[in-house]
Every structure is written in C-alpha cells, then in structure tokens.
Amino acid sequence: KRQNLLFIYSLDLEGYGKQAARMVDQIFDGIKPAELPLETGNFDLVINLKMANTLGIEISDEVLRQAKTVIR
C-alpha cells in the first residue's frame, strides 16, 4: 500500500497498456512492426508527505512540484 511508503518512482503501467494497444492496432491495420516509431514510456513520482512528516523529513517544494501525486 502507498500509505506506508515515503516515495515511489515507477513505470506508468496504464500508459504502457494504452501504448501497447495503440501499437497493436497499427499492426492490425497493416503497418509492419519494424516501421513503428520508437516510443518511450513515462515514469511517475508519488510522494507521501504523511510518512515524510512522521519520519521528520522535509521535502522541498521543487521536488513536490515534480511529483504526479502527493499524498497529504
């Protein structure tokens, strides 16, 4: 569970699923896999401020702005 973690930096699995579905659709439409453009996935940063406060860790506003999700 995210409530016990300080931060998570992980793959955007939903984004990867959508990307894979889009590429499969293109292949079914006749595009050869080798002709598909190279795509990279995204990573998401989640910061748990509750845990940071419990541990006495201060997280700067600059780092918080980079997080996709902040648990308060």
Side-chain angles (χ1 to χ4, degrees):
K1 293 183 177 182
R2 289 183 176 179
Q3 63 189 8
N4 296 328
L5 298 172
L6 178 57
F7 67 90
I8 304 167
Y9 189 66
S10 64
L11 297 170
D12 173 14
L13 296 178
E14 181 180 343
Y16 272 105
K18 290 178 181 180
Q19 178 185 29
R22 188 174 55 253
M23 295 174 86
V24 167
D25 185 53
Q26 291 175 330
I27 292 168
F28 284 157
D29 285 342
I31 296 176
K32 295 179 182 178
E35 296 173 357
L36 291 174
L38 179 64
E39 297 182 32
T40 59
N42 294 324
F43 284 81
D44 293 333
L45 175 61
V46 177
I47 298 175
N48 186 339
L49 277 182
K50 287 182 183 180
M51 182 58 68
N53 290 334
T54 299
L55 297 172
I57 297 172
E58 187 174 327
I59 300 176
S60 71
D61 289 337
E62 181 181 349
V63 173
L64 290 174
R65 282 191 296 271
Q66 295 176 41
K68 180 176 181 180
T69 304
V70 176
I71 300 170
R72 298 187 186 272

